[in-house]
Amino acid sequence: MTITPEQAGAALLSIEDASRHSAILLRYRRAAPFFILWGCCWALAYGLCNFYPNHMGVIWSVSDVIGILGSWRIMRARPITARHHGAWRLMAAVAVVAAFVAASFSVLAPQSGQQVATFITLVFAAAYALFGIWAGWRLVVIGGLVACIALAAFFWADAQFNLWMGMAGGGGLVAVGFWLRRA
């Protein structure tokens, strides 16, 4: 049995497509625990801020430390080959985003905690969407959904802002983590 050059080319393209699809699914599975962790941190912090608004700084500081330590633990639990290539880039990206947010606040001077929370959420939503352009369409969808939730909470939730962001935003990130894990 002989294979024509066209059949061989089609087979190679099929293999390339399968390889690309497998790589996307692997990225989704690797991202899933981070979405679950940060969704839980987000839900807990916003929920606590709703009941203890005078302690927002402490609540978010503790939540962020838990999220960072949890993220570090997730990365350390991976095989060396899986974490070697991306760990420093991820930490560098987080540092760039933190510097951008700090610089933006020095220029824009937000007037409320809701503005601060919404802006930070929108920055991360944009980061998810931008990363998704390379990593897979599900992350683009996640970025869009997180942005929509944040904007809806900012414009319409008023007194329930923290509960809305905690339940819809944090719960949404947890749900997305499970969605990515099953991909």
Side-chain angles (χ1 to χ4, degrees), residues 68-78:
I68 290 167
L69 292 175
S71 295
W72 178 79
R73 178 68 183 111
I74 291 167
M75 284 191 290
R76 297 291 302 162
R78 296 196 170 152

Side-chain angles (χ1 to χ4, degrees), residues 27 31 42 54 64-65 72-73 102 131 133-134 158 160 167:
R27 285 192 290 269
W42 191 358
N54 295 334
D64 289 343
V65 167
W72 178 79
R73 178 68 183 111
F131 182 66
I133 291 170
W134 285 275
D158 260 351
Q160 291 78 33
M167 291 184 340

Side-chain angles (χ1 to χ4, degrees), residues 100-177:
F100 170 77
V101 168
S104 296
F105 287 161
S106 70
V107 172
L108 300 174
Q111 303 298 311
S112 72
Q114 288 180 351
Q115 286 177 316
V116 170
T118 303
F119 179 75
I120 291 171
T121 302
L122 291 173
V123 167
F124 279 95
Y128 296 153
L130 287 171
F131 182 66
I133 291 170
W134 285 275
W137 67 270
R138 289 182 187 212
L139 294 174
V140 175
V141 171
I142 293 163
L145 289 173
V146 168
C148 287
I149 289 168
L151 291 170
F154 182 78
F155 288 112
W156 297 303
D158 260 351
Q160 291 78 33
F161 175 83
N162 287 322
L163 290 177
W164 179 267
M165 292 290 278
M167 291 184 340
L173 289 178
V174 170
V176 160

Side-chain angles (χ1 to χ4, degrees), residues 28-53:
Y28 286 163
R29 289 214 173 141
R30 286 184 178 161
F34 295 98
F35 279 96
I36 294 168
L37 169 67
W38 283 98
C40 290
C41 289
W42 191 358
L44 182 63
Y46 273 116
L48 289 172
C49 286
N50 187 69
F51 299 107
Y52 305 103

